[in-house]
Amino acid sequence: SVLIEFDNVQKVYPNGTVGLKDINLKIHEGEFVAVVGLSGAGKSTLLRTINRMHDITGGDLKIDGASITGYKGKELRNLRRSVGMIFQDFNLVNRSSVRRNVLSGRVGYYSTWKSSLGLFSAEDKQRAVDALKRVNMLEKLYTRVDELSGGQQQRVAIARALMQEPKIMLADEPIASLDPLTTTAVMDDLLGLNQELGITVLANLHSVSLAMKYADRIIGLRGGQLVYDKPIAEVSADD
Ligand code: ADP
Ligand code: ADP
């Protein structure tokens, strides 16, 4: 079934830069979609419209059939919980432990005073253990993030995103600052979430060969427009 629907989506930034233009796109539940294109093509903008980090300026964007463009308050919070995100530079708190970083994925679920004291429920502590197991990082539970390699940090970031129990995972250049070996570990983790948990994945990737290895479908952007969209079986080397 269709999970995410872009209906003639436009995004013009306040300074007049066109981020997205006339995007029509349907993404189905359970897909692993690679988004490719040169720097500045609009890949990051596309991802960030899905969790409303960026608001679109025209058209409509639906998730599960409901337009998200008017969401406020509780609806917006629920949307952001259902969409996990990881970034090129990980966005972890470097001086804190892996455990604290992962549990911070649940902070928004607690009253301010409880989360400021680090009072997490037994259930959430178990969630953190499960998430870290899934990315093979449980042995680093008490390690400080700044003692980890880049690839390990990205896997911790994936575990943190999993704490929201997301339906959708956005990966914005997840491996751009990693070496080839750790790239494989991170991409394998994303594939695991997709295949084992049924999470729909959208990953911005520079590498078409990685996209072909992991994704079900490749979409290409250029100048904010959708210029390519094919299931992996139809992608040819000449494209
Ligand atoms: P990509 O992820 O493919 O590198 P982006 O989505 O980051 O592309 O950027 C698309 C276009 O929008 C680029 O021209 C970029 O400079 C511009 N852009 C991105 N973010 C902003 C912003 N916050 N304000 C203005 N322009 C932006
Ligand atoms: P990337 O292409 O790796 O996503 P960028 O260097 O294009 O990263 O952008 C870094 C940050 O700056 C992003 O948050 C983006 O939204 C913002 N940004 C990008 N281009 C512009 C711009 N022209 N004006 C203002 N902000 C921008």
Side-chain angles (χ1 to χ4, degrees):
S1 61
V2 175
L3 180 61
I4 307 169
E5 183 172 357
F6 287 78
D7 180 10
N8 209 28
V9 165
Q10 321 288 330
K11 170 64 186 176
V12 181
Y13 284 101
N15 68 0
T17 307
V18 175
L20 296 174
K21 194 165 184 266
D22 308 329
I23 301 286
N24 288 292
L25 180 64
K26 288 190 176 97
I27 292 166
H28 300 88
E29 197 161 359
E31 276 188 307
F32 191 129
V33 181
V35 185
V36 303
L38 299 175
S39 187
K43 304 182 297 296
S44 186
T45 305
L46 183 88
L47 257 53
R48 287 163 196 223
T49 59
I50 294 170
N51 62 355
R52 290 272 309 274
M53 268 176 86
H54 287 328
D55 286 331
I56 62 175
T57 52
D60 197 13
L61 179 46
K62 292 189 187 124
I63 296 184
D64 267 333
S67 171
I68 65 166
T69 53
Y71 279 2
K72 290 186 292 216
K74 193 170 183 206
E75 281 177 327
L76 188 56
R77 272 200 304 282
N78 287 339
L79 168 72
R80 289 188 171 144
R81 281 176 188 174
S82 72
V83 183
M85 189 161 185
I86 60 168
F87 303 86
Q88 175 175 349
D89 52 5
F90 325 126
N91 281 9
L92 298 169
V93 180
N94 287 323
R95 296 163 61 86
S96 285
S97 68
V98 165
R99 180 176 179 279
R100 253 197 123 72
N101 270 277
V102 172
L103 279 166
S104 76
R106 286 307 275 191
V107 160
Y109 296 69
Y110 287 85
S111 65
T112 316
W113 72 267
K114 273 197 178 167
S115 61
S116 68
L117 291 174
L119 296 175
F120 293 96
S121 67
E123 199 185 14
D124 282 341
K125 288 176 195 163
Q126 186 59 44
R127 271 199 182 95
V129 167
D130 293 343
L132 282 166
K133 257 192 210 151
R134 179 162 283 284
V135 297
N136 292 309
M137 288 294 294
L138 187 56
E139 78 221 41
K140 303 290 187 186
L141 189 62
Y142 295 105
T143 305
R144 262 171 64 145
V145 160
D146 53 13
E147 291 167 13
L148 301 177
S149 72
Q152 291 174 328
Q153 291 190 37
Q154 192 60 293
R155 284 147 65 197
V156 171
I158 292 172
R160 178 180 58 186
L162 280 177
M163 295 297 282
Q164 303 164 224
E165 301 179 316
K167 286 186 73 157
I168 299 168
M169 178 73 86
L170 307 175
D172 196 359
E173 303 284 359
I175 46 94
S177 49
L178 305 181
D179 59 64
L181 212 68
T182 50
T183 287
T184 302
V186 167
M187 292 303 296
D188 286 349
D189 283 341
L190 289 174
L191 190 61
L193 312 189
N194 176 250
Q195 295 190 336
E196 291 154 28
L197 302 178
I199 296 175
T200 303
V201 176
L202 278 90
N204 291 349
L205 298 169
H206 275 292
S207 154
V208 175
S209 63
L210 267 188
M212 290 183 68
K213 182 166 171 213
Y214 287 94
D216 306 318
R217 174 179 177 189
I218 298 183
I219 67 176
L221 294 175
R222 189 195 301 140
Q225 288 185 287
L226 192 65
V227 293
Y228 189 92
D229 183 3
K230 282 189 186 175
I232 212 75
E234 291 171 20
V235 173
S236 99
D238 304 329
D239 284 350

